[in-house]
Amino acid sequence: MVDWAGQMSSRASSPQGDSHTEISDRRPAPFVLSRSMRATLLPYRVCAAIPSLPNSGPCATLGFTHVLGGQKTNILLLLLFPLIFGSAIELTPGVSFGCSLLVLIPMAERLSFVTEQLALHTNAVLSGLLNATFGNVTELIVCWLALREGLIRVVQLSLLGSVLSNLLLVLGASFLFGGLRHKKQKFKQIVGQVNSALLMLGVIALILPTILVHSGKDVDVSNDVSSSRMCSAVLLMNYLLYLYFQLHTHLSAFADEAPDNGEVPLLSARVAGVWLAAITVAVALVSNVLVDAITGAANDYHISSVFICAVLIPIAGNAAEHGAAVIFAYRDQMDIALGIALGSATQVALFVLPVCVLLGWFEGQPMTLYFQPYECLTLLLTIIIVTFVLTAASGRSNWLVGVILISTYFIICVGFFDHQSENLELHGVRLPDESVSAVITTSSTATAPPV
């Protein structure tokens, strides 16, 4: 990222450079959303891009300069070519999975960037709704494509892994690297309190179906599906109320201590909208390759498909925002770092997951909130330890807390690595098959009505 403080000092002696610097950093605010609030609604923020393309002419007019220029992660977009010509060069499932996983890293980051640019042309309410909708659109697209193929366990594990990685890996890395540079760091307690309560609500909605299935009572699958849909509606309602709480009734509590002078859009509304649509389509195409190659990649790499879905896919899909949180924490901007980690986890638990349940209803797939006991237990313990860290610390953090959170994530990942695919369960029925797709296919065939 660009060191704007250094550029300000270097251009202070140049009268001609003052206007450019003022445009870059001290800009008139088009709306009242602060940086930490936008980081909560849209996990990853790009302060500025170092243009490597011309600053004038067609490239600048169409947004190529800001969208494709400057970001080092964009070099991974070159892996699109093997995916495009994959059928001709006969790529193995493992290679296809690896290429698509790496390509999603810059795509997710650029999708967040153009969403932010489009939000700068709206007011506070529309900006918050836009950022909340497209903040985790990459995960939503991957889950939607998996649902269409009946890979319900892929959806559940990838969303669970996204919540765990944000709460343990991202938050822990932020505390660690921020604490190594600053002995003590402060953050607003209301951010941790509200998000912890919402996440506890989400884990309650996941644990109760699991307890019901394993309570020794006969549970009808159709009742489990209908109850999951009702619980999903409740979770969505709470997430919308959370947005209203953050953007309206308690706006001052989430605002930055230092006034945010706003940002001037680098892209026009029309250009940002076109790029948003184009990148979304590209993410859908790459995600389709990713989902199709999961089972083959598990066989090629000799690892469990559970580990791929719960660990590898969430880390790659959120790599850009993970790096952003660490950078903000290193700069002692802990409110923004917490907004990225906790805000993204809350989005997935109370927005993306319920939406996937309702999408499964639309697609005719029995997507439920039933998770395996190990998965529910890891999520519950994660939220408990994160809540303890955020509340007991009285708004202060240090590097040792970060080490504890990262160590917890490593222990959970070891469990997922040893968790073999043949032990997967669907609606409380153990199905002895080796692949996720075979589990879902067997279940769908068994429950299909006679023709």
Side-chain angles (χ1 to χ4, degrees), residues 158-353:
S158 62
L159 294 182
L160 174 69
S162 181
V163 175
L164 294 177
S165 64
N166 277 287
L167 293 179
L168 295 176
L169 181 61
V170 181
L171 190 61
S174 300
F175 285 157
L176 173 60
F177 290 98
L180 290 177
R181 185 177 184 183
H182 309 277
K183 186 175 181 180
K184 291 183 179 180
Q185 294 182 294
K186 298 181 179 180
F187 56 87
K188 295 180 179 179
Q189 297 187 57
I190 187 173
V191 178
Q193 292 171 354
V194 173
N195 283 276
S196 298
L198 291 172
L199 289 169
M200 187 60 69
L201 173 64
V203 76
I204 289 174
L206 300 184
I207 286 181
L208 291 182
T210 304
I211 295 177
L212 182 62
V213 169
H214 293 273
S215 62
K217 304 294 183 181
D218 293 332
V219 180
D220 189 1
V221 173
S222 60
N223 293 335
D224 187 21
V225 174
S226 60
S227 63
S228 295
R229 291 167 181 170
M230 288 187 289
C231 291
S232 298
V234 174
L235 294 179
L236 281 175
M237 180 190 67
N238 278 270
Y239 185 73
L240 294 177
L241 292 176
Y242 165 64
L243 294 181
Y244 182 75
F245 176 85
Q246 186 183 28
L247 296 175
H248 184 70
T249 61
H250 289 68
L251 179 64
S252 59
F254 287 87
D256 291 334
E257 295 180 359
D260 186 15
N261 294 318
E263 299 180 26
V264 171
L266 300 175
L267 304 175
S268 65
R270 179 177 299 180
V271 171
V274 172
W275 276 108
L276 181 62
I279 297 177
T280 302
V281 172
V283 168
L285 296 176
V286 174
S287 300
N288 190 38
V289 178
L290 179 74
V291 171
D292 291 339
I294 289 178
T295 303
N299 296 328
D300 290 349
Y301 299 149
H302 302 289
I303 58 178
S304 172
S305 56
V306 176
F307 182 80
I308 291 179
C309 297
V311 179
L312 297 184
I313 293 179
I315 290 179
N318 300 320
E321 66 189 48
H322 293 182
V326 174
I327 291 174
F328 282 122
Y330 190 75
R331 296 175 178 176
D332 202 19
Q333 296 176 296
M334 288 304 299
D335 288 331
I336 302 179
L338 261 67
I340 294 174
L342 297 179
S344 181
T346 304
Q347 275 187 348
V348 173
L350 272 75
F351 178 73
V352 180
L353 180 58

